[in-house]
Amino acid sequence: MKKTLLTSAIALASIASATSSAQAAELTISCGAVGAELTLCQEGVSAWEEKTGHSVDVVSTPNSSTERLSLYQQILSANSSDIDVMQIDVVWPGLLANHLLDLREVLGEDAAAGHFDTIVTNNTIEGRLVAMPWFTDAGVLYYREDLLEKHGHDVPTTWQELTDIARDIKDAERAEGDDRMQGFVFQGRAYEGLTVNALEWVSSFGGGSVVDQDGEVTINNEKAAEALDLAASWIGDISPVGVLNYTEEEARGVFQGGNAVFMRNWPYAWSLAQSEDSDVRDKVGVTQLPAGGEDGQSAAGLGGWNLAVSRYSEHPEIAADLVAFLAGEEEQKRRAIQASYNPTIDALYQDEEVLEAVPFFGTLYDTFTNAVARPSAPTGDAYGRVSNAFFSASHDVLSGNKDGAQAVADLEGDLLRLKRRNW
């Protein structure tokens, strides 16, 4: 009798194991590889795998958001199930919505409860929640506290002050033998990152947001031209000519290597600048970006990334569960403490452990919640072409091919032609 019971138990266990194996899904998620992004994603995915028994293949994507969008569009246009979960930019929900799952249908109406309302609204297209907020971003200014103190300067509050201070410290450090010192590094390559940088300059001078909320083209104005001309004056002076090909990581490499006074970047660079192998560890301060002038204001470009499930996934419900786990409070807290990625859950900005790890999450809270959005909402499906036109025009000014006035006038014409066709 005992033998019969034991045999039955073994048989039942085998059936249960086989059933479990049959139910285990294999997913693929695409994650960025800027800074610690890929490592953090792999760690979060491993925790979910251990919890659920499913397996996930983590694939990295191009660092350039422009190249990443092109890759996604190719995959989705082919109705391919190659990628189940995609990390998408805050300006892409409208562009990709038709190919993405409505997460509320799977996770419930309260799927995004607790996340910033503005981001949830951004990710809701025609009533469908097509992406879950994962981390938000706003541009910030990094500076060398030690060098400002050494040379008797305060933290700049306007772009002109930054220009003057950067030049003074760069020249002084080079006179002392540091031939590699630069004044200011930023994202100057002709790609989406320059759209954000240039929008920050233009908006801080009171030059608008390229296209306003009503879809009207506003870029052709004196303030916008002035902002771009000032930025162009940096090239070969306080910024290296090579900055014309910098993305986030090239700028961080120069600054973290101790070779720049100021850097414009995203909050993720904080934890890396403070890492044990950083040449600027404990020498860095973070503040809001400078204003355009006495009549200007600080303007931080809104960034951030979300997680979306492809409509062509063979396991949409399981993929949505992975999204819910990675975007959940526990995982967002881990990412904030470990690598200074901004949570999209408001409660975490009052969390003592988070604020201890990243103090400026508290002091720059208003910066993160009032960041300037790119004109993706009013331009809809045309946003990619609008952005391309804007960063190309900005790059022309930085490169010395056009002055600000000519560039914004030409850009206005290009955008008006796009508007007639697409929005």
Side-chain angles (χ1 to χ4, degrees), residues 103 107 111-113 115 131-135 305-307 320-333 335 343-345 348:
L103 294 172
L107 300 175
H115 292 267
M132 186 73 78
W134 196 19
F135 64 93
W305 293 82
N306 310 279
L307 294 173
D321 184 73
L322 172 58
V323 166
F325 177 84
L326 293 177
E329 185 167 342
E330 182 179 343
E331 183 65 9
Q332 287 207 17
K333 179 175 178 177
R335 292 166 57 87
T344 63
I345 297 172
L348 290 176

Side-chain angles (χ1 to χ4, degrees), residues 98-151:
N98 291 339
H99 299 285
L100 303 177
L101 186 72
D102 181 358
L103 294 172
R104 286 197 181 99
E105 286 188 355
V106 179
L107 300 175
E109 287 300 314
D110 296 330
H115 292 267
F116 287 138
D117 288 339
T118 53
I119 305 177
V120 175
T121 300
N122 178 82
N123 295 355
T124 303
I125 308 299
E126 297 182 352
R128 300 171 61 246
L129 180 66
V130 299
M132 186 73 78
W134 196 19
F135 64 93
T136 188
D137 254 340
V140 293
L141 181 68
Y142 291 82
Y143 61 93
R144 287 284 298 278
E145 291 179 320
D146 57 327
L147 292 180
L148 264 64
E149 181 178 355
K150 174 182 175 181
H151 295 281

Side-chain angles (χ1 to χ4, degrees), residues 333-388:
K333 179 175 178 177
R334 179 186 74 87
R335 292 166 57 87
I337 292 173
Q338 189 170 323
S340 63
Y341 280 89
N342 283 63
T344 63
I345 297 172
D346 189 75
L348 290 176
Y349 287 85
Q350 286 80 48
D351 187 288
E352 292 183 0
E353 292 177 307
V354 171
L355 294 178
E356 182 180 358
V358 195
F360 66 84
F361 275 5
T363 58
L364 295 183
Y365 177 77
D366 289 342
T367 296
F368 299 128
T369 55
N370 296 296
V372 178
R374 284 163 278 176
S376 58
T379 57
D381 290 345
Y383 173 71
R385 292 182 289 277
V386 170
S387 178
N388 191 295

Side-chain angles (χ1 to χ4, degrees), residues 202 205-207 218-229 404 408:
V202 168
F205 272 81
T218 62
I219 189 61
N220 189 8
N221 63 81
E222 292 181 359
K223 295 293 187 181
E226 181 183 0
L228 293 176
D229 282 334
V408 297

Side-chain angles (χ1 to χ4, degrees), residues 185-186 189 245-255 268:
V185 290
F186 57 93
R189 180 184 294 183
N245 202 37
Y246 282 11
T247 67
E248 286 82 357
E249 286 294 85
E250 286 81 16
R252 182 177 69 83
V254 173
F255 184 81
Y268 86 92

